[in-house]
Amino acid sequence: MYRSLMDRQRSFFRTNKTKEIAFRLNALKSLQSAVKQYENQLIAALKEDLNKSEFEAYSTEIGVVLEEIRFTLKHLRSWAKPRRVKTPLTHIGSKSYLYSEPYGTALIIAPWNYPFQLAAAPLIGAIAAGNCAVIKPSELTPKTSEVLARLIKEHFPEEYISVVLGGVEASEALLQEKSDYIFFTGSPAVGRIIMEAAAKNLTPVTLELGGKSPCIVHEDADIKLAAKRIAWGKYTNAGQTCIAPDYLYLHTSIRDSFLAAFKEAAADLFGLNPLENPSFTRIVSEKHFLRLQSLMGDGEIFLGGGTDKKRRVIEPTVLTNITWKDSIMQDEIFGPILPVLEYTNLDEVIEGIHHHPNPLSLYLFTSTPAVQEQVLNSISFGGGCINDTVYHFASPHLPFGGVGSSGIGAYHGKGSFDTFSHHKGVLKQTNLFDIPFRYPNAKNGLKRIKMFLK
Ligand code: NAD
């Protein structure tokens, strides 16, 4: 179904045009001006799809993409240069280089929760590295996906960058065709399907997946600040953020003071009656709304609990008296419900997390460096913050990605350029002389080789 599109992209890639640095820089500048031109349409579409406020639409989608383009434009020339690396004594006379080359056509499959940002940010990496790209945005946010398709169509020829609209069937049809790189953001379950499809052609993949991201609040945390930063990270986009704190591990000794501060922080940020807050993001679909509603029966409701089915809004909610056995602890929540587990000893926390798949993110609130090191040394997770939530995502100097079932590979900043590039190792040999002992007929060849290779 998409054979001809992929073939046209392959032919265009073979012209070598996309590899020219000037071409890549121009494409990034076009994308930059297109995003600026479409800013209002994107904000309106995000409002229609998810009721995102203008503040959230700009700060978590449009602004993040513009900043990523600006950073890439600034550094691309130096990233793209062949890099000289060391040469060992055994290779005397030669020089060694790493050449970054694009893969060809990159297939980018995106989810609905940040429907613009999670489609556009990988595209920046694909362009920077010199690839062509086909983007398949989410069918659950149709307005934003349509604006993205128009924006791309207006500024780029199809044989270079193209958007394919549609649902699972469109994704499946695209996966039937050979692409040279697959960049997928979505659930671990679909991630497995993507990897299986990629395996048929041995196509390399980046899988940006999800999972349950813990947030640990230790006894010596700055309670007020922790409460504010956690409430913000959890309830932004109504908790529909892959790196949102999924659940809290709260030290029993600060339970009451922390929960009181958290209640205050949530009210400050999202209002005393969030169901009436016109800018609180809605749940993407009825299916997800019903799934989340069914999780509210676990434990005790400490905060929130209110829902509006017609508008698909769920209040910022906190559930206490939760254990790992509760249904809310079985899968990623992906909504504004925060279950609270309590602990007295950090070892319980480490044990508890160890018994579950590697988190995409982990957040730890503590003032003690030794506690920070203990957690960093004993738990494997994609990335995270000490004394904050979510913020690591927006740094171009920190490659973002998961580990184990939360993902494979990473991107952002130079990480994106590296992800979409193959780094070709090249040795340039001298013709001025020829070291004889590698040849089988060299006198004392083996003896000399043993001097070097030991
Ligand atoms: P999803 O896996 O259902 O869908 C993602 C994309 O895959 C969509 O474009 C969809 O059309 C396509 N798709 C769905 N089923 C498919 C199939 N069987 N074959 C081929 N393609 C298929 O994910 P979602 O519901 O859109 O997003 C939520 C998930 O994404 C959560 O698990 C979340 O943690 C994760 N996520 C991860 C990140 C990250 O950066 N790591 C970011 C956002 C979301």
Side-chain angles (χ1 to χ4, degrees), residues 33-226:
S33 59
V35 174
K36 286 180 182 164
Q37 183 194 328
Y38 274 83
E39 184 179 319
N40 289 337
Q41 293 188 50
L42 285 167
I43 289 171
L46 289 162
K47 180 88 189 161
E48 269 196 77
D49 282 335
L50 287 159
N51 194 40
K52 281 202 195 203
S53 64
E54 185 176 345
F55 177 80
E56 280 200 17
Y58 194 88
S59 61
T60 68
E61 303 242 23
I62 299 162
V64 172
V65 168
L66 286 174
E67 185 52 25
E68 182 83 4
I69 298 174
R70 196 191 59 77
F71 187 83
T72 308
L73 280 170
K74 188 167 164 206
H75 297 284
L76 181 57
R77 277 189 194 281
S78 87
W79 295 342
K81 273 192 194 134
R83 192 155 55 88
R84 176 114 183 243
V85 293
K86 283 188 179 171
T87 301
L89 205 58
T90 39
H91 294 54
I92 199 155
S94 59
K95 290 176 184 158
S96 309
Y97 298 87
L98 287 176
Y99 280 77
S100 299
E101 64 174 19
Y103 285 99
T105 290
L107 172 60
I108 297 167
I109 302 178
W112 53 263
N113 59 334
Y114 291 87
F116 175 64
Q117 190 233 118
L118 295 174
L123 175 65
I124 297 167
I127 294 174
N131 297 275
C132 298
V134 174
I135 308 168
K136 210 299 279 169
S138 176
E139 67 280 18
L140 294 186
T141 43
K143 299 288 176 206
T144 312
S145 298
E146 270 167 38
V147 174
L148 176 72
R150 259 187 283 132
L151 176 159
I152 293 293
K153 202 176 167 67
E154 195 180 305
H155 288 83
F156 299 98
E158 235 186 22
E159 63 271 24
Y160 177 34
I161 302 169
S162 173
V163 173
V164 168
L165 295 176
V168 176
E169 45 340 299
S171 246
E172 286 172 342
L174 283 166
L175 290 167
Q176 295 277 318
E177 306 303 328
K178 183 178 166 12
S179 52
D180 303 294
Y181 201 90
I182 301 178
F183 189 103
F184 171 79
T185 308
S187 57
V190 179
R192 285 190 188 93
I193 296 172
I194 303 291
M195 200 158 169
E196 231 178 287
K200 290 199 186 94
N201 292 311
L202 290 178
T203 304
V205 293
T206 293
L207 302 177
E208 295 283 342
L209 309 177
K212 288 184 92 60
S213 297
C215 180
I216 309 163
V217 187
H218 202 49
E219 55 189 330
D220 60 348
D222 179 326
I223 289 180
K224 221 171 153 196
L225 215 45

